[in-house]
């Protein structure tokens, strides 16, 4: 079993920055992709950013140039550096670990960017 715990959310003014962390523990598959997704009120959950084992990243167009995903060398923690936040970035951000044997999800952390 894999457990994911997010941290780092909060309330910031538009234009501000936050850094989210997601720590994975348990029986972590060697080959995996970690992702950040978000869900705003009354909207569907959307993909934000992903990073593979070998560091390949991808992003939804709306966050390119402002949000950066990274992971530590041990591969068990993923980060989301969020700069130039906009009110439309307000959402609950969840991390996910995707592997051959299944997908694992965290509980999420609230990010609010006020105008």
């Amino acid at each position: 079993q894999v457990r994911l715990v997010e941290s780092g959310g909060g309330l910031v003014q538009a234009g501000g920055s936050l850094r989210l962390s997601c720590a994975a523990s348990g029986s972590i598959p060697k080959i995996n992709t970690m992702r950040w997704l978000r869900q705003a009120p009354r909207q569907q959950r959307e993909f934000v950013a992903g990073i593979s084992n070998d560091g390949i990243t991808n992003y939804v167009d709306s966050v390119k140039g402002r949000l950066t995903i990274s992971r530590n060398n041990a591969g068990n923690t993923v980060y989301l550096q969020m700069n130039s936040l906009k009110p439309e970035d307000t959402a609950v951000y969840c991390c996910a670990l995707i592997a051959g044997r299944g997908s694992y999800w965290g509980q999420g952390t609230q990010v609010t960017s006020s105008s």
Side-chain angles (χ1 to χ4, degrees):
Q1 190 68 302
V2 177
R3 182 171 182 243
L4 301 175
V5 179
E6 301 97 337
S7 60
L11 171 64
V12 294
Q13 286 191 328
S17 297
L18 283 174
R19 190 189 194 212
L20 305 184
S21 299
C22 172
S25 60
S27 180
I28 301 170
K30 272 192 171 182
I31 307 298
N32 64 71
T33 295
M34 295 192 78
R35 297 174 180 168
W36 285 99
L37 300 95
R38 65 187 179 187
Q39 186 165 18
R42 299 174 298 281
Q43 294 188 22
Q44 288 192 332
R45 185 166 57 195
E46 70 165 345
F47 168 84
V48 177
I51 185 166
S52 66
N53 269 106
D54 48 7
I56 296 173
T57 59
N58 60 324
Y59 300 89
V60 66
D61 285 347
S62 60
V63 307
K64 286 179 179 177
R66 300 187 299 116
L67 275 58
T68 303
I69 190 171
S70 61
R71 65 195 300 175
N72 66 347
N73 288 336
N76 58 2
T77 303
V78 65
Y79 306 97
L80 188 66
Q81 179 65 43
M82 310 172 74
N83 298 329
S84 302
L85 281 163
K86 303 177 180 180
E88 51 264 44
D89 294 318
T90 295
V92 174
Y93 285 71
C94 294
C95 68
L97 186 149
I98 315 298
R101 70 169 194 242
S103 301
Y104 306 90
W105 297 81
Q107 293 295 310
T109 185
Q110 176 70 45
V111 171
T112 302
S113 177
S114 62
S115 56

